[in-house]
Amino acid sequence: MLFIGGVFFCVWRVWVRGRLMEGAAVSGFSGTLVLSIVLSVLGRGDLHDARPKPFAVSPLFAGGRPVLDAAALPAGELVEFRVGFAQRGLAEAFVDGVARGFRIFNSRVAVEEVEFRDVSMDPLPGARCFRLEFLSPVRFAVRPLYRRRRALFDFTPRPLNVFKSVVRHGRALGVLDLGAPFLRWVYTYVGLADFGCFGRCVRTVSLLGGGVARGFTGWAVYRVFGRRRLGDVWRALRVAEVFNVGTGRGMGLGAVKVEPRDCG
């Protein structure tokens, strides 16, 4: 539970695991499919265009890996996904609804497990190094110097890109009280130690509603060269893991897995 300005804020995470009763075909990036499942279970289509959305989804996972492209899922396949919520009422309503099962297109999914927890109650790690695995393409909006028709994105997982994205979204949701002083500290004391890709570094995915999205997929290792705001770093990383990073986080882009590391 985060104590901000005299008020406690909870960050809720729901993991859903279920088994396909019939085979299903996914035609593109599955994050938009998970988004539609959440909106359908909640019966809240109005949340589709909410800014900011009070929740964020991960892509659908099958066989332990995210479904980023077209895939055929056989009957009996174990599928799972994650939803992060900034509002307890929404989280509880989703848990109640999804436990009764849901559909992936015309295929029924029998829910086997729903994990519901307030992750802000978990103790913060004290490690000064950490690894981010970008489970779905991540892209960071950049303000252009000249007017242009299309948005401009940076795909580089440098520390300032990651933490600026988390701070802006966390403040908009009311779950982080960090600001410019913290970002200046990050710029000075958090470094990118290493990074790599799984095949191609920049990946293009087809969105189920039409269009495409491009972003970085891979991993990055960071090192914190100071302890004064180490706790704030881990608070921000907790929000990143629940609500994703970059743009398009509500539909599953920028999903990350955070792992503390021994700096060695």
Side-chain angles (χ1 to χ4, degrees), residues 82-184:
R82 181 264 299 151
V83 190
F85 290 94
Q87 298 176 9
R88 177 170 181 165
L90 271 183
E92 292 177 337
F94 176 72
V95 169
D96 291 341
V98 80
R100 294 190 288 269
F102 59 93
R103 289 182 175 272
I104 294 179
F105 300 116
N106 292 323
S107 303
R108 294 171 297 153
V109 179
V111 173
E112 296 185 352
E113 182 181 3
V114 178
E115 179 187 285
F116 177 41
R117 62 183 300 155
D118 174 9
V119 298
S120 54
M121 294 295 292
D122 296 339
L124 295 174
R128 293 173 59 185
C129 291
F130 57 92
R131 179 182 187 270
L132 297 185
E133 181 179 350
F134 297 89
L135 303 171
S136 58
V138 63
R139 56 188 189 176
F140 304 96
V142 176
R143 180 175 296 178
L145 296 179
Y146 298 96
R147 181 177 298 178
R148 51 178 284 157
R149 293 182 179 179
R150 296 185 177 180
L152 184 63
F153 298 108
D154 183 357
F155 302 146
T156 312
R158 57 194 180 101
L160 193 58
N161 275 346
V162 172
F163 285 96
K164 183 184 291 185
S165 169
V166 177
V167 165
R168 285 179 175 174
H169 195 63
R171 289 180 66 89
L173 291 175
V175 298
L176 273 182
D177 61 343
L178 304 175
F182 171 71
L183 292 176
R184 288 194 292 268

Side-chain angles (χ1 to χ4, degrees), residues 13-20 26 29-31 33-35 37-38 57-68 73-74 76-83 94 98 102 104 108-115 135 252 255 257:
R13 183 179 65 196
V14 181
W15 270 100
V16 180
R17 299 175 181 88
R19 202 166 297 274
L20 277 170
V26 181
F29 177 59
S30 64
L33 170 62
V34 175
L35 173 61
I37 291 170
V38 173
V57 306
S58 75
L60 189 73
F61 285 77
R65 297 303 304 168
V67 179
L68 301 183
L73 305 177
E77 179 80 50
L78 182 67
V79 294
E80 56 187 311
F81 60 87
R82 181 264 299 151
V83 190
F94 176 72
V98 80
F102 59 93
I104 294 179
R108 294 171 297 153
V109 179
V111 173
E112 296 185 352
E113 182 181 3
V114 178
E115 179 187 285
L135 303 171
K257 178 182 178 182

Side-chain angles (χ1 to χ4, degrees), residues 180-190 224-230 233:
F182 171 71
L183 292 176
R184 288 194 292 268
W185 188 91
V186 165
Y187 183 80
T188 306
Y189 290 103
V190 181
V224 182
F225 294 94
R227 289 192 173 275
R228 186 171 65 89
R229 305 205 68 161
L230 186 59
V233 167

